[in-house]
Amino acid sequence: MNISRYGKYLVPAVLALSACSSLPRPDKLSKPAYLDAIVYHNETLGEYYELVPSFKIVLPRTAPERLAYLESQVAEFNRMKLMKYSGYGADQTVLTNDVKAMEAELARNGRTTKVVPEQLTISAKYVSGKTPKVTIKATPDILDENGGLHFSLTDYSDKEILKKLEALPPVKPAPGPEASGPKTPIREADAIRSYLQKRFGKIFKVKRSATVVGGNGKPVAGVDVELTFFPESARIVFDGTVRNLSGSSIWATYYLPQLTYHKGRDWFTFTAKQFGEGMTEKDRKQYFIQPGAEKSFQFTTDRELQVLVYDAVQNRIASKNAFSSKEEDDLLKLEIIEKYMNKSPAVLLEIFPERVICADCGVKLY
């Protein structure tokens, strides 16, 4: 058969069009439980998956800033595009150790701790067939079936620095707060404030994220937040994003995270109440977001700590000021920050999609 002068362009064009045939919708796709897959379309690229994994970092007890760094590195894989023209694959390689932090620890203590493996590659692949699926794997193989990334720690020391540090005379500890008089809210707050600043610095940050799942088991919203702690003023700034992963519009304000402290029979919280009440009607409408959209938020903690009270009639949480005394209020705020940074199960960063009161019954942000 003779091919016209346009024929040599026709066959590749047909093949290209056939390659652009629709990918299966996410609900028709087999994928790990911790992975959300969203299909987007672009005229020049055809359809592609945008992957939103919800990995959990499994790491032996270590400094919060080390864990926060590792989580932020792994989170870079979120929203990776799984395009057809890249061989149905995408991968991301991350360094698991914060080099600057390790160097600072070595200079200060002569020893530090390394996260193992020191480098991690996370790969995703689209597998066609009767039941199309997306697979995710980690190299080295530290990923379990639940999306847990199992890291370990190993000691590392600089022998020369260690010798110099050991040769220095011991430093006498400063007298504790009990030596300067009876306990008062001000003295106790000062002791916690001093401890936090010595251990973490005057300002420190933690990043967390989670996916809210509805009653039908499908994702409703994705929440990413960075907490900035200011021990001097017992204040926290929440800075993050709410993504609509559902098929209908949602109020992003409904999914704002809170730090909740379960103490005895009471629940105390840093809430977004002040943030919500300060919105104009125009601002509030901007937080009603469409499917696939996202809305950023930033708010600081309320001037006064709130105590949560469950309203059984309305099946929701109501909040009121916890203390009339600023000194007691500051003390409890610092106590919450201290316990959270030391990973106490009594303090959780979570959201309450059903507004049911209790610690550890909302959605935890890892």
Side-chain angles (χ1 to χ4, degrees):
M1 179 179 67
N2 293 326
I3 301 177
S4 70
R5 61 194 182 109
Y6 299 107
K8 62 180 180 179
Y9 302 110
L10 181 61
V11 174
V14 171
L15 292 175
L17 286 171
S18 65
C20 288
S21 58
S22 296
L23 291 172
R25 304 307 299 178
D27 57 349
K28 303 294 184 182
L29 183 73
S30 173
K31 61 185 186 297
Y34 54 86
L35 174 69
D36 296 325
I38 305 166
V39 171
Y40 282 111
H41 180 77
N42 183 294
E43 289 181 0
T44 60
L45 295 176
E47 288 185 336
Y48 62 83
Y49 287 119
E50 192 168 80
L51 304 179
V52 189
S54 179
F55 294 119
K56 180 179 179 181
I57 304 299
V58 183
L59 184 65
R61 186 174 180 82
T62 186
E65 56 267 30
R66 187 186 303 278
L67 183 60
Y69 170 83
L70 183 55
E71 288 178 336
S72 66
Q73 287 291 97
V74 171
E76 289 182 8
F77 187 80
N78 283 5
R79 297 286 182 183
M80 287 290 287
K81 292 178 174 63
L82 197 59
M83 298 184 188
K84 298 167 66 175
Y85 300 118
S86 63
Y88 297 98
D91 61 80
Q92 178 82 41
T93 299
V94 299
L95 300 177
T96 61
N97 287 290
D98 186 338
V99 176
K100 288 185 177 179
M102 288 179 63
E103 289 176 348
E105 282 187 1
L106 278 172
R108 187 171 57 250
N109 305 318
R111 54 169 60 91
T112 185
T113 305
K114 277 186 177 180
V115 175
V116 179
E118 295 183 53
Q119 182 172 294
L120 174 69
T121 299
I122 306 172
S123 303
K125 188 174 184 181
Y126 172 77
V127 181
S128 60
K130 188 174 182 180
T131 305
K133 63 182 178 179
V134 168
T135 61
I136 288 188
K137 67 177 183 178
T139 306
D141 186 15
I142 61 170
L143 175 67
D144 68 24
E145 60 184 5
N146 298 314
L149 289 165
H150 292 257
F151 296 92
S152 59
L153 298 172
T154 182
D155 292 331
Y156 177 75
S157 67
D158 187 311
K159 294 180 180 178
E160 291 301 316
I161 294 178
L162 202 55
K163 285 180 183 178
K164 292 177 182 178
L165 291 172
E166 289 173 349
L168 295 174
V171 179
K172 292 183 179 179
E178 67 281 353
S180 50
K183 282 187 176 182
T184 65
I186 294 178
R187 291 185 191 280
E188 290 185 76
D190 284 344
I192 296 175
R193 184 180 289 111
S194 176
Y195 161 77
L196 289 170
Q197 290 180 338
K198 285 180 180 177
R199 182 171 178 186
F200 304 111
K202 291 188 176 181
I203 299 175
F204 47 93
K205 300 185 178 186
V206 172
K207 290 184 178 180
R208 295 289 185 265
S209 62
T211 300
V212 182
V213 178
N216 59 1
K218 295 184 177 180
V220 176
V223 182
D224 296 296
V225 64
E226 179 178 72
L227 306 182
T228 304
F229 297 89
F230 299 86
E232 184 62 38
S233 58
R235 188 165 60 93
I236 307 174
V237 171
F238 293 68
D239 192 347
T241 304
V242 176
R243 300 187 304 276
N244 186 350
L245 305 178
S246 71
S248 56
S249 299
I250 63 171
W251 284 100
T253 48
Y254 193 57
Y255 300 94
L256 298 182
Q258 302 178 52
L259 264 181
T260 306
Y261 178 28
H262 187 193
K263 186 177 184 180
R265 298 180 63 184
D266 297 318
W267 284 266
F268 300 95
T269 184
F270 286 104
T271 74
K273 182 181 178 184
Q274 180 181 332
F275 172 68
E277 291 178 348
M279 284 187 192
T280 64
E281 188 61 31
K282 183 180 178 181
D283 292 335
R284 194 170 285 107
K285 287 180 180 178
Q286 292 178 3
Y287 283 82
F288 189 62
I289 56 176
Q290 305 299 314
E294 61 181 41
K295 180 63 179 174
S296 59
F297 61 85
Q298 184 184 70
F299 62 90
T300 187
T301 47
D302 296 343
R303 289 182 293 274
E304 295 176 304
L305 201 65
Q306 306 288 301
V307 61
L308 301 180
V309 179
Y310 179 54
D311 187 329
V313 176
Q314 300 184 47
N315 189 30
R316 69 180 183 86
I317 293 173
S319 59
K320 64 181 182 180
N321 292 346
F323 296 109
S324 56
S325 161
K326 182 181 183 301
E327 290 75 22
E328 289 182 302
D329 191 70
D330 283 351
L331 172 58
L332 191 58
K333 284 180 179 178
L334 287 165
E335 188 177 315
I336 291 173
I337 294 173
E338 177 196 15
K339 287 182 178 293
Y340 180 70
M341 295 306 291
N342 283 306
K343 303 187 186 306
S344 168
V347 180
L348 294 170
L349 176 64
E350 55 184 345
I351 52 182
F352 301 90
E354 303 300 331
R355 296 297 189 208
V356 177
I357 183 169
C358 77
D360 202 18
C361 71
V363 177
K364 287 188 289 186
L365 281 81
Y366 293 99

